[in-house]
């Protein structure tokens, strides 16, 4: 069980951290010209569903990773809509 949780946390860390540089750049520059609105809407929805899945299955690594990613993805999605 400890190995499984460790792998989960490592995967959560890796995917969340890899997303942060692009999120930070987009938030700073407000440049969303290279981002597809439909892709980002689907991505944000998928992230929300993974978050719900993690909560419903008491999977802390899945929930933690997706709450962070969902917050940043939501901000970028709002920027994409607002700064067309």
């Amino acid at each position: 069980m400890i190995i499984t949780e460790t792998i989960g946390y490592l995967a959560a860390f890796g995917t969340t951290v890899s997303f942060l540089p692009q999120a930070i750049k987009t938030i700073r520059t407000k440049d969303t010209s290279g981002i597809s609105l439909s892709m980002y809407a689907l991505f944000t929805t998928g992230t929300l569903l993974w978050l719900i899945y993690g909560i419903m299955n008491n999977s802390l690594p899945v929930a933690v990773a997706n709450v962070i990613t969902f917050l940043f993805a939501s901000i970028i999605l709002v920027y994409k809509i607002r700064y067309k």
Side-chain angles (χ1 to χ4, degrees):
M1 188 66 146
I2 292 173
I3 293 174
T4 303
E5 288 292 308
T6 301
I7 291 171
Y9 280 111
L10 289 172
F13 178 79
T15 56
T16 301
V17 169
S18 71
F19 179 76
L20 289 179
Q22 185 63 51
I24 292 168
K25 180 180 179 184
T26 302
I27 291 166
R28 284 185 180 156
T29 65
K30 296 180 179 61
D31 178 14
T32 60
S33 60
I35 297 172
S36 163
L37 177 59
S38 59
M39 177 272 179
Y40 235 81
L42 287 169
F43 175 75
T44 305
T45 301
T47 304
L48 176 61
L49 293 172
W50 273 115
L51 169 59
I52 293 167
Y53 174 85
I55 292 168
M56 291 176 74
N57 286 288
N58 295 319
S59 177
L60 195 56
V62 173
V64 169
N66 284 288
V67 73
I68 295 167
T69 304
F70 177 73
L71 290 172
F72 279 102
S74 296
I75 291 168
I76 293 171
L77 184 59
V78 167
Y79 276 34
K80 179 64 180 175
I81 294 166
R82 180 180 288 171
Y83 300 110
K84 269 187 169 178

